[in-house]
Amino acid sequence: MKEKQSVGNFLLNNAMIIFMIGAAIVVGILRPTFFSMYNFKNLISNTAVRFIIAVGVSGCLITKGTDLSAGRTVGLAACIAATFMQAADYSSKVYPNLGELPMLLVLLGVIFVSVLIGLLNGLVISLLNVPPFIATLGMQTIVYGACLVFTGAQPIGGLRKDYTNISSGSIFNIQLLPYLGIIALVIGVIMWFVYNKTPHGKYMYAIGGNENSAEVSGINTVKTKLVIYMTAGLMYGIAGFLLGAKSGGASVNMGMGYELEAIAGCTIGGVSTNGGVGRISGILIGVLVFELLKIAMQFMGVETSYTYIVQGIVIIIAVALDIRKYVAKR
Amino acid sequence: MQEYVLEMKGVCKSFPGVKALDQVELHLRPGTVHALMGENGAGKSTLMKCLFGVYKMDEGEIIYNGEHVKIENPFDALQKGIAMVHQELQPIPERSIAENIYCGRYPETKILGLIRTVNHKKMYEQTDALLKGLGLNYDAKAKLGSLSVSQMQLVEIAKAVSANAKIVIMDEPTSSLTRNEVEVLFSIINRLKEQGCSIIYISHKMEEILQISDEVTIMRDGRYIGTWPSKELTTDMIITKMVGRELTNLFPKRENVPGEVILKVEDFTSIHPKSFRNVSFELRKGEILGVSGLVGAQRTELMEGIFGLRASERGTITYLGKKLHITRPKVAIENGIALLTEDRRGSGIFGVLSVSDNISVASLQQYLLFRVMLNDRKIANLVQENVKKLSIKTPSIKTQIQSLSGGNQQKVIISRWLANDPDVLIMDEPTRGIDVGAKYEIYCIIAELAKQGKSIIMISSEMPELIGMADRIMVMCDGRVTGFVDGKDMNQEIIMELATRFAS
């Protein structure tokens, strides 16, 4: 009884992706350098970090929640990472007497903090039943405040070479295989496995599909949601760590608005804000296409201020198109 | 004056997977009570929702006051003088009775001739007058939620009356009313008739129909069977026309043999004073225990309490000789108890997920490889097996469950529970909203499970169904168990008497 997909319906259901790829092609024709290797690598690195954040948010979205603290958590993670990854000989070190720490230790520390933030989100949402929108909006401000306190609003620079190399380097020096892209890919594969091949993943979709039914079916919805928000935190931690390396420094403003980009990427990629629906592959396409549009706008010389306006519009249209699929026609 | 105030002709309406209405017609005379009858799933409510503008008909016409009309939405219907008392109440319990009655059409005053405001004084006065006129002694300012379910239903009827409607649709208005309240309702209906108002009356209760209605239209499986004057009909004739075959074939032969007691509930009491209390009963192995009662008798709440979805204040559940403390559904499930909920959409199916996911979701822990990874092949086997065993009609196991018909959705949920091999299966209105053919299949499944030695608790609001299927029936009223009936005592009169024991 599969509904016949008319051409019109197909176009409408994938309107955002078609539009954005179309836009990129047009830009490519107008500005041939758009298809350069440099630009391509740039696209991969940008997409990689955004994709990891989007994967984090996707679990929240699939369970009909959201996470507005994503961007600020990424920012805090980047600031913490940068602070402890400053080169020993850098003149204005935050902790001048601190020696060089093992990179893995710093990464674990960053992850610890961001998972803790995710845990708090999860507790507030699943135990206190605060709507995710409000809970994570509050957390967004808390994390920003914590970041201000931690950094004293000072930018952090002078990062170690081995740290920044994560972002600039690539496997066998092949431009098409930057470390960032590989890391994102590995995370994508792991999360695909979690979403599709584990009970936890099935429970996540079930809670998003119908939380009451999930409860009746014996699913521990509190635990599942806690794990989802903690996983989201884990993703932000990794993304923040990578973002610090990529930017070669960090400041409190880092990560601002990333949650909306992540949510946009998810929605464009078919994650429904109505819950229960969403695939990792879709998220990858969504984020990629969204980045493509941003870079296309840069190439056309659109001022950054205007790109925000376009991004906002894209998000709203993407959700409107998504909801359209679920509003029952009576 | 025309012969008919309203005619509906050639009405067709399809939902994904079901043709709900097929060339249905209805002819309503002015100033009469017209009963619309048929089994659950016959399409009565759907037809009325088409008339009230809730659904759009695929085909068909409505002739109202001699003119062809199109009814766009419920507001449009009300404007045209058609009001509906819904089967499922849609009240706003936190607001006053008056606000519920005038919701969407509040009396207004204008400040400075510009700003529209609600005229509360007028609203309360009108409501008081309305309620008093109908013999209902409620305070217009009281919160609607402070009334009982049956009182809310009368308020809903008052709302329809207040709209000065030419046609009032009453969809099972007496389903939760006590005998006295039914009398109040009938006097309201007679008053409406005198005012020239026509009433479309949907009910399952034969005596009521024969008492109050002038004409009867009967539907079966979404089709129009015919219209007869009530005087010419008897209960048996109506049933035969509704069912379309002899009553004896309605239920499968049961071969289950109840054995020893496996579940014992004693003095089970909710934390809410108005909910279930002091409930004690026993369930035997291989027994089908029916649970009867009016809407609001707290049957569902009791079962959800046993299953760990609702909190209890005291009482014990002894299961296979040991006391259980069921604090959440997981505990119940692990002990072999399953609950098929009443509200299939609200707490049964996962609409956007596949048939496969819907069947396997409660038993995933049994299909793990290396303790983390799901064994997709085993799950596919489980699903295929169930699809075959319960003859679930689905294009594929990857199909979204929401595109299946109600009967098939129900079978999917039954499969979900069977995957856990429970000993006790609590089924809350298992055949609600399912068409007749599929109902019989569900009955067969229930009978077969009982034969296999599984114990079934079956809640139903349809008495013939309980009488046809259950070994014993437990009757509840107002949160309490008022009695058990079995054998010869299983008839509608005795059950009804028990179900209204505490009714005022």
Side-chain angles (χ1 to χ4, degrees), chain B residues 66-108:
Chain B
E67 283 171 38
H68 281 264
V69 292
K70 249 186 112 161
I71 294 164
E72 299 291 343
N73 52 46
F75 183 73
D76 189 26
L78 280 170
Q79 294 272 303
K80 288 185 163 73
I82 302 173
M84 180 160 177
V85 181
H86 289 271
Q87 179 179 8
E88 287 132 15
L89 296 170
Q90 296 173 341
I92 312 166
E94 286 302 316
R95 307 305 301 178
S96 69
I97 293 177
E99 277 182 67
N100 271 279
I101 287 180
Y102 285 100
C103 185
R105 50 191 178 96
Y106 302 108
E108 289 175 356

Side-chain angles (χ1 to χ4, degrees), chain B residues 53 67 174 178 232 265 319 353 360 460:
Chain B
E67 283 171 38
T174 60
T178 61
E232 297 172 13
V265 174
Y319 179 67
L353 302 190
S360 61
S460 176

Side-chain angles (χ1 to χ4, degrees), chain B residues 311-492:
Chain B
S312 59
E313 185 186 86
R314 67 193 140 90
T316 54
I317 299 172
T318 315
Y319 179 67
L320 294 170
K322 74 175 182 203
K323 282 209 169 73
L324 288 188
H325 294 281
I326 301 175
T327 47
R328 50 202 172 92
K330 196 163 187 239
V331 181
I333 293 167
E334 280 164 359
N335 280 289
I337 302 175
L339 172 69
L340 192 78
T341 55
E342 172 189 28
D343 182 1
R344 194 167 53 241
R345 246 172 193 289
S347 56
I349 63 168
F350 300 97
V352 293
L353 302 190
S354 66
V355 169
S356 169
D357 285 343
N358 267 283
I359 289 179
S360 61
V361 70
S363 53
L364 290 176
Q365 300 294 343
Q366 298 171 27
Y367 305 104
L368 288 182
L369 282 174
F370 315 116
R371 305 185 66 186
V372 287
M373 187 180 167
L374 291 168
N375 187 337
D376 287 341
R377 191 182 308 159
K378 263 192 168 171
I379 292 175
N381 283 345
L382 161 88
V383 174
Q384 293 290 6
E385 208 175 276
N386 274 288
V387 166
K388 215 163 114 194
K389 205 164 63 192
L390 303 191
S391 52
I392 297 169
K393 286 180 208 77
T394 174
S396 113
I397 63 171
K398 298 249 177 276
T399 307
Q400 282 190 353
I401 190 176
Q402 61 191 7
S403 64
L404 303 189
S405 69
N408 283 304
Q409 291 182 358
Q410 194 70 296
K411 288 190 218 164
V412 167
I413 303 178
I414 293 174
S415 304
R416 180 193 300 165
W417 289 122
L418 295 184
N420 273 326
D421 196 26
D423 297 315
V424 175
L425 203 56
I426 306 172
M427 299 176 139
D428 197 349
E429 302 282 3
T431 62
R432 172 173 287 181
I434 288 175
D435 50 59
V436 184
K439 262 186 188 178
Y440 186 77
E441 288 181 65
I442 302 272
Y443 296 145
C444 290
I445 294 168
I446 295 173
E448 173 62 26
L449 291 173
K451 187 183 160 195
Q452 288 169 14
K454 300 203 185 296
S455 310
I456 314 260
I457 298 178
M458 179 177 171
I459 300 183
S460 176
S461 294
E462 287 177 65
M463 257 184 252
E465 174 175 290
L466 284 182
I467 294 168
M469 287 300 296
D471 298 303
R472 251 179 346 134
I473 296 175
M474 172 168 91
V475 189
M476 292 181 68
C477 175
D478 189 33
R480 287 165 278 185
V481 172
T482 48
F484 293 86
V485 290
D486 57 6
K488 288 194 301 293
D489 293 340
M490 282 215 276
N491 64 55
Q492 302 221 12

Side-chain angles (χ1 to χ4, degrees), chain B residues 31-35 85 133-134 154 157-158 161 168-174 177 181-203 208-209 211-214:
Chain B
T32 61
V33 175
H34 194 112
V85 181
L134 296 174
L154 288 173
I157 288 160
V161 172
V168 177
I169 306 163
M170 296 189 180
D171 194 351
E172 306 227 28
T174 60
L177 299 190
E181 286 166 332
V182 170
E183 288 308 317
V184 174
L185 173 69
F186 282 2
S187 73
I188 293 175
I189 288 177
N190 283 325
R191 192 173 321 182
L192 287 171
K193 262 173 81 171
E194 281 162 26
Q195 291 164 10
C197 180
S198 305
I199 288 137
I200 302 174
Y201 191 93
I202 300 179
S203 175
E208 257 175 31
I209 295 282
Q211 186 190 340
I212 193 77
S213 70
D214 301 296

Side-chain angles (χ1 to χ4, degrees), chain A residues 1-2 193 196-199 202-203 205-207 209-220 275-277 326 330, chain B residues 13 17 54 56 307 309 329-330 333 345-350 353 357 361-362 364-365 368 372-374 376 395 416-417:
Chain A
M1 262 175 292
K2 197 172 167 172
F193 181 85
N196 294 291
K197 299 287 168 192
T198 66
K202 296 279 179 190
Y203 294 164
Y205 286 111
I207 290 173
N210 188 340
E211 191 162 345
N212 290 332
S213 304
E215 198 107 24
V216 172
S217 304
I219 294 171
N220 190 337
V277 177
Y326 298 94
R330 306 214 259 198
Chain B
K13 172 76 192 172
V54 178
K56 298 232 174 329
F307 195 64
L309 279 168
K330 196 163 187 239
I333 293 167
R345 246 172 193 289
S347 56
I349 63 168
F350 300 97
L353 302 190
D357 285 343
V361 70
L364 290 176
Q365 300 294 343
L368 288 182
V372 287
M373 187 180 167
L374 291 168
D376 287 341
R416 180 193 300 165
W417 289 122

Side-chain angles (χ1 to χ4, degrees), chain A residues 120-157:
Chain A
L120 290 175
N121 274 332
L123 285 172
V124 171
I125 288 162
S126 58
L127 284 184
L128 304 182
N129 288 314
V130 177
F133 182 85
I134 303 294
T136 58
L137 187 62
M139 186 57 77
Q140 182 189 69
T141 312
I142 294 171
V143 173
Y144 179 53
C147 196
L148 276 171
V149 172
F150 178 71
T151 61
Q154 296 298 315
I156 303 140

